[in-house]
């Protein structure tokens, strides 16, 4: 599935995130948080993501996209450590090259915990090739702020838990406000996740958040 991301400045979709889904032969769906956690636990997340990469390339053959459209995939912590990581991402980039997309990798805070140097080098290499890096579910993981200085990042995705805390346009949401301010200072672009109501959208717009993802604009 793909979930569009809305740009409040242009009033249109500026990108989309690929989200893995698994349908059983009987037609029912396995919850992604369950099968992704299981795949991670059983060393299957790398081949699963490699399959996702093939499927995205296949899907994209049928698309018409404006150049610069931002296409994001989620990358698991184990994958970044894996020797195939850079090759896999280059394969995705090559397979989509006709669309001239902005490719974005969404990493969780956990990805940035171990083997710092090795991960930094791989991310820097890919960034030099035009790939952008987003930190996903920001604020929910092992919340060490030091990696915001250490790792090469372009986007910060605010976890929907913080967006959920917005209750009114002029209410107080101190943690969310602090994250937004921090992102502005670090010159990171912000994507707000899980935006479900017009009040949440207005609150975020008022604070200079440009990218909005959530059921209010579009479901996956
Ligand atoms: O897709 P939601 O629609 O329910 O996703 C549930 C969780 O699974 C989220 O944390 C999301 O980041 C993760 N997820 C969805 N698709 C992928 C994927 O392709 N790879 C990885 N590693 N995580 C994914
Ligand atoms: O962790 P990550 O951000 O990659 O996961 C995206 C998850 O968020 C997916 O499970 C997707 O289905 C879900 N999602 C997307 N928009 C909304 C929303 O507005 N509300 C809620 N509750 N979940 C959402
Ligand atoms: Mn994500």
């Amino acid at each position: 599935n793909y979930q569009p991301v809305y740009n409040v400045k242009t009033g249109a979709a500026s990108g989309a995130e690929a989200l893995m889904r698994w349908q059983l032969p009987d037609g029912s769906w396995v919850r992604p948080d369950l099968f992704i956690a299981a795949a991670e636990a059983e060393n299957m997340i790398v081949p699963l993501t490699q399959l996702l990469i093939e499927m995205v390339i296949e899907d994209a053959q049928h698309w018409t996209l404006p150049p610069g459209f931002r296409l994001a995939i989620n990358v698991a912590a184990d994958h970044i450590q894996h020797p195939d990581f850079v090759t896999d991402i280059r394969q995705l980039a090559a397979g989509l090259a006709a669309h001239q997309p902005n490719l974005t990798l969404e990493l969780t805070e956990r990805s940035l915990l171990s083997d710092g140097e090795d991960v930094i080098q791989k991310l820097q290499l890919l960034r030099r090739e035009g790939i952008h890096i987003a930190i996903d579910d920001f604020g929910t993981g092992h919340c060490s702020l030091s990696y915001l200085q250490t790792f090469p990042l372009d986007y910060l995705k605010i976890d929907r838990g913080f967006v959920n805390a917005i209750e009114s346009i002029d209410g107080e949401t101190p943690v969310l406000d602090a994250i937004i301010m921090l992102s502005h200072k670090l010159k990171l672009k912000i994507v707000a996740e899980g935006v479900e109501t017009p009040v949440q959208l207005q609150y975020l717009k008022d604070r200079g958040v440009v990218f909005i993802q959530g059921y209010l604009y579009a479901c996956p």
Side-chain angles (χ1 to χ4, degrees), residues 9 12 28 63 74 76 104-105 107 120 167 193 198 210:
K9 285 195 174 155
S28 64
W63 295 343
N74 294 281
T104 304
L105 306 181
L107 318 179
I120 291 173
E167 282 172 349
E193 297 186 280
V210 175

Side-chain angles (χ1 to χ4, degrees), residues 17-21 32-33 36 45 49 52 74-76 136-137 220:
E17 175 181 5
L19 293 162
M20 225 186 276
R21 294 292 183 263
D33 50 333
I36 283 162
I45 192 67
T49 308
L52 175 109
N74 294 281
V75 178
D136 206 359
D137 303 331

Side-chain angles (χ1 to χ4, degrees), residues 142-156:
H142 308 263
C143 205
S144 150
L145 293 175
S146 65
Y147 57 66
L148 292 178
Q149 299 196 103
T150 316
F151 286 90
L153 300 171
D154 303 285
Y155 282 82
L156 189 151

Side-chain angles (χ1 to χ4, degrees), residues 75-116:
V75 178
D78 285 355
H79 202 161
I80 302 171
Q81 316 281 340
H82 194 277
D84 289 349
F85 172 62
V86 172
T87 317
D88 289 342
I89 303 306
R90 283 179 175 157
Q91 188 207 332
L92 178 66
L96 298 175
H99 294 292
Q100 298 172 260
N102 271 321
L103 272 187
T104 304
L105 306 181
E106 299 194 2
L107 318 179
T108 59
E109 290 164 292
R110 194 161 73 83
S111 321
L112 305 182
L113 274 183
S114 47
D115 261 77

Side-chain angles (χ1 to χ4, degrees), residues 169-187:
I169 301 266
D170 37 37
E172 284 271 307
T173 316
V175 179
L176 173 64
D177 293 353
I179 293 173
I180 293 171
M181 244 163 15
L182 186 67
S183 308
H184 288 324
K185 292 243 185 215
L186 290 166
K187 306 225 172 353

Side-chain angles (χ1 to χ4, degrees), residues 30-52:
V30 185
R31 274 183 41 200
D33 50 333
L34 297 184
F35 78 76
I36 283 162
E40 289 190 284
E42 303 198 18
N43 284 323
M44 287 301 291
I45 192 67
V46 172
L48 205 55
T49 308
Q50 289 168 337
L51 177 65
L52 175 109

